[in-house]
Amino acid sequence: MQLIIIMLFIAGAFIVQLALGYFQIKHFAKAYIELRKIGKVAIGKRPGRIRAGTIVLFAVSDSGKILKAMKIQGVTVLAKVRELKGFTGKNIKTLGEADMAHCNKLLKSAILDAVSNYKIIMSGGEIPEKPSIFKRIMMQAENIVSVKKS
């Protein structure tokens, strides 16, 4: 009987997690659509494994001027999209450390990712996909096996 209660609790927690994740994605999509109506959108992310994950969105004009900036930063799916102050009117191509003086380390990393992504896309390139944790584990396992075979 205790096992059934534990299983029901785990299933309930999973369902709540799915629902909250759905709402977070819905809020992100709404913010993205809002920014997309203004101009091109540069997105930067700094995934959090243990610490807070961060996503930044910049609505950018054709000349690179930031028209509006938003962020999502938090540890849980309860993190909401909020306005990112201090970037409106600046040029995304020339953002530097001085522009990010008021930002924390994770936010700076996400902003630099957005700048990098913007520059790559505007120069006609393609953003390289970062391997997931499962793919990294598989690559490490393959390396270990190939070393042992040698």
Side-chain angles (χ1 to χ4, degrees), residues 54-100:
T54 306
I55 300 174
V56 295
L57 301 108
F58 291 120
V60 183
S61 70
D62 290 333
S63 64
K65 181 180 175 185
I66 297 173
L67 305 170
K68 190 169 184 180
M70 302 189 92
K71 70 174 181 175
I72 303 174
Q73 187 170 29
V75 179
T76 67
V77 292
L78 299 176
K80 296 195 178 207
V81 179
R82 302 184 194 285
E83 186 175 342
L84 180 57
K85 298 181 192 287
F87 291 95
T88 304
K90 296 183 180 180
N91 193 309
I92 193 168
K93 298 173 202 170
T94 60
L95 284 180
E97 284 293 322
D99 300 314
M100 296 181 272

Side-chain angles (χ1 to χ4, degrees), residues 1-15:
M1 185 64 177
Q2 289 177 345
L3 184 60
I4 292 173
I5 293 172
I6 292 171
M7 288 173 54
L8 288 174
F9 178 75
I10 290 171
F14 183 72
I15 290 170

Side-chain angles (χ1 to χ4, degrees), residues 4 19 25 28 36 54 64 77 79 84 87-88 94 97-98 104-105 108 119 127 139 143 147:
I4 292 173
I25 290 170
F28 173 82
R36 188 65 186 106
T54 306
V77 292
L84 180 57
F87 291 95
T88 304
T94 60
E97 284 293 322
N104 63 45
K105 185 178 176 181
K108 284 180 185 179
K119 288 178 179 177
I127 300 167
M139 290 181 344
N143 288 341
V147 168

Side-chain angles (χ1 to χ4, degrees), residues 7-27:
M7 288 173 54
L8 288 174
F9 178 75
I10 290 171
F14 183 72
I15 290 170
V16 168
Q17 176 75 17
L18 282 174
L20 292 174
Y22 168 77
F23 287 118
Q24 187 178 39
I25 290 170
K26 186 176 171 184
H27 290 294

